[in-house]
Amino acid sequence: MTSPHAAAVSVAPRLAVLGLGRVGLAYAAAIAAHERVTLAGLIESRHDLRGFARGIGFDAPVLPSFAKLRERAEVDAVVVCVPADRRQAQVEALVHADVPVLLEGLPESTGTALPPTSWPRLACATPLVLHPLFAHATGLLASGALGAPRRVSATANVSRVFSSHGAPHGLDVFAHTLPGLLVLLDAWFGPARAVRATGHRLYADRFDEAQGELETCEGLVAHLECSWSVPDYPQGAYVVEVECEHGRLLVSDDAFECELARACEGMPAGRTRRVLAEEPEPEAVVAVRQLAVVARPFAAGIQRGDGL
């Protein structure tokens, strides 16, 4: 008789990773170490990066295109990790070929380039949902201890205009800084009906700052602010505040604070504070396992421009 474990292994999803930069290699390593998925192959157009991936010991095929990989192996889905200015074309090609895609962040123009019938094949994720403090917030909101959310405000800041490498080619604050925040709010509060934002050009022709709001299908409105031109933020800094029926939640990359009307989720009634230094480091394997749970299609298009 076949054991349940053997049956699970026989149907393990076969995932390929497209793009072998730092993020792509991290995904590939986590997938290769995961007991419930299989690394079907690695895709990279650059010869030097393909050689590096082979050199560090990946057993899966390493090929220059998805078409060549498909000739060699069965692939159930592709994790897209190419640079931001190449994501849109790669995502469109895979989705139109009926290949499920997991993308970190959002494609540049979900609403216009991909028809609604293709959205179920596109899952969008963000590392924020796996950050220890944001994971605490996810569990607390899902428990219902805070009651229904009434007001949400969210900010994202990162220094890209002032970085030594300059702003990423072909992008602006809408395409670079806002998507992770939108995916997080989608995971917490459900699909968005609309996202409206006003962009501001400060230093060049691209949008450097944006203010706007996200409206969920349930009618909740989240106020948004993001900038990639604030000095002294080499890494993205995110802050989300949620006022609810029975309490309040404030979470950032550094600290988690909540006020509960009654004890729940292992936290006492009243004010609780946690800081990142006290949290265990999450394992990459855990991250991949949870991605299957938190990644979901993001169907709302982004209206962008001056005064929209």
Side-chain angles (χ1 to χ4, degrees), residues 55-80:
I56 60 178
F58 284 109
D59 295 329
V62 185
L63 296 166
S65 69
F66 177 71
K68 290 185 177 296
L69 176 62
R70 221 173 192 181
E71 294 173 358
R72 294 268 305 273
E74 294 289 332
V75 178
D76 296 314
V78 177
V79 182
V80 175

Side-chain angles (χ1 to χ4, degrees), residues 1-18:
M1 188 171 87
T2 304
S3 70
H5 176 70
V9 171
S10 67
V11 296
R14 296 159 294 194
L15 306 181
V17 175
L18 173 59

Side-chain angles (χ1 to χ4, degrees), residues 114-125:
L114 301 174
T117 55
S118 71
W119 288 342
R121 296 192 294 277
L122 173 62
C124 300

